[in-house]
Amino acid sequence: MGAIDYPVFLEGPPCVVIDRVQMTYRVASSDDRATASRPGLKGALRRVLRKPNMVTVNALKEISLVVERGESVGIIGRNGSGKSTLMRLISGQEAPTHGAVYASSTPILLGVNAALQPDLSGDQNVVLGCLAMGMNMDQVNEQFDKIVELSGLDSAIYLPMKSYSSGMSSRLRFAIAAAVNPEILLVDEALNTGDAQFGSRSKARMNELRAQAGCVFIVSHSLDTIRDMCTRVIWLDKGDLIMDGPPIETTQAYQEFSVHLSKGNNMSARRIREEARSNLVATRILERASGRRTEGR
């Protein structure tokens, strides 16, 4: 596996620099081979009452990336591969166990669980969400019609958000987040709404953001969404960076990997994974950047 030596200064081109980042968690496990071997009620009672074993989970193994201005980066992988963990580290919601994340401005994380109020109407949530992102009321009024148009909600914007479908809620969250013109926008599974018109509008909006010297990160299980909206795709698997390349090439390799797994062809899937990882050109950060960062030990 080769490597690119990348000197990094945040006064220069990059939007986001991920420098030798790792993320581990200590979690409780009920697995106890000795106790599990004891059958019957007494064995079950011991498993309930005893202190749980604490195990280390490597959510993200060492990874270094540099994301330039104007890039739209797709993140793909199986459940539990580290996709959402990486997004939380970039957004600053969590600090990495090791390494550091540097960003040229504060990233805006848009996820399907973004905190809006279901009992309030859509228009009230627009105001609430925009104010929470630092806009004033004049800016909210200026952006309101654009937000409604992008969301495609029309008159439903005045209904309680709890009456929305998951797709309607996701569209509104995206429209609110995109209204603030963030330099770094993180989208976590919020575009899989099955709405072709919204897909076209959201793609156009993200192209505008990228044209304004920003960058976009997208996590999605929809490979069509990733191919349509991204200029670069990274494939994560069990915390490892497997591939970092063009959308068509990377999604095709991941799709072949997934098909073999679904058919039980584990050896073929492993071969595709190992071949992709062996061809990965790793990034090495030569100098630490100054500016905003989220750092571990």
Side-chain angles (χ1 to χ4, degrees):
M1 183 165 60
I4 295 176
D5 292 333
Y6 205 113
V8 174
F9 301 92
L10 283 189
E11 293 77 13
C15 271
V16 174
V17 176
I18 299 169
D19 184 8
R20 296 177 290 250
V21 159
Q22 300 177 45
M23 191 66 190
T24 60
Y25 297 101
R26 293 283 291 169
V27 298
S29 172
S30 61
D31 186 15
D32 185 337
R33 305 298 179 185
T35 304
S37 65
R38 299 178 182 176
L41 181 60
K42 288 185 177 179
L45 187 60
R46 286 194 182 93
R47 290 194 295 274
V48 170
L49 297 179
R50 71 181 299 278
K51 290 184 178 180
N53 295 324
M54 300 301 294
V55 298
T56 299
V57 175
N58 295 311
L60 204 63
K61 299 169 188 176
E62 185 171 305
I63 179 174
S64 292
L65 295 170
V66 174
V67 178
E68 305 281 359
R69 300 175 188 279
E71 287 195 286
S72 178
V73 181
I75 305 174
I76 59 176
R78 304 185 269 180
N79 289 335
S81 291
K83 304 184 301 295
S84 294
T85 298
L86 180 59
M87 294 285 265
R88 289 195 298 273
L89 296 179
I90 295 171
S91 69
Q93 288 187 336
E94 293 186 73
T97 311
H98 299 280
V101 177
Y102 305 89
S104 56
S105 65
T106 301
I108 300 296
L109 175 63
L110 168 66
V112 292
N113 295 318
L116 296 181
Q117 299 300 314
D119 290 328
L120 298 181
S121 62
D123 63 311
Q124 291 172 318
N125 272 299
V126 168
V127 175
L128 181 66
C130 289
L131 292 176
M133 292 189 299
M135 298 171 66
N136 58 43
M137 281 305 301
D138 288 339
Q139 292 171 321
V140 175
N141 290 331
E142 182 181 342
Q143 294 292 326
F144 183 83
D145 289 342
K146 296 178 182 178
I147 292 172
V148 176
E149 181 181 2
L150 179 56
S151 71
L153 292 177
D154 298 321
S155 60
I157 195 71
Y158 301 107
L159 298 178
M161 195 169 171
K162 63 184 177 183
S163 68
Y164 292 179
S165 67
S166 59
M168 293 167 70
S169 298
S170 296
R171 298 201 304 269
L172 181 58
R173 292 185 179 103
F174 176 83
I176 293 171
V180 77
N181 290 323
E183 183 181 14
I184 304 169
L185 177 62
L186 312 177
V187 183
D188 193 351
E189 292 292 0
L191 298 179
N192 299 338
T193 65
D195 186 319
Q197 288 184 334
F198 174 70
S200 177
R201 291 193 301 268
S202 58
K203 181 180 179 180
R205 179 61 183 130
M206 286 198 289
N207 286 339
E208 289 177 6
L209 294 173
R210 288 169 44 219
Q212 296 166 7
C215 68
V216 180
F217 292 83
I218 304 173
V219 167
S220 179
H221 286 290
S222 169
L223 298 185
D224 288 337
T225 296
I226 293 293
R227 281 189 287 262
D228 288 344
M229 295 189 175
C230 298
T231 59
R232 170 185 176 188
V233 177
I234 66 174
W235 169 15
L236 298 176
D237 191 63
K238 295 184 177 180
D240 284 316
L241 176 60
I242 304 301
M243 197 168 179
D244 180 357
I248 293 178
E249 180 182 335
T250 308
T251 55
Q252 182 176 347
Y254 174 67
Q255 194 164 30
E256 291 175 359
F257 168 80
S258 300
V259 167
H260 281 294
L261 276 185
S262 67
K263 293 180 177 179
N265 301 330
N266 293 338
M267 290 186 65
S268 297
R270 189 180 303 114
R271 184 170 60 251
I272 293 171
R273 183 187 190 276
E274 290 175 355
E275 182 179 351
R277 185 159 168 75
S278 68
N279 292 327
L280 177 68
V281 179
T283 298
R284 286 198 296 257
I285 311 302
L286 297 182
E287 298 191 35
R288 290 194 174 274
S290 59
R292 181 187 180 277
R293 70 181 183 180
T294 304
E295 187 171 7
R297 292 191 293 274

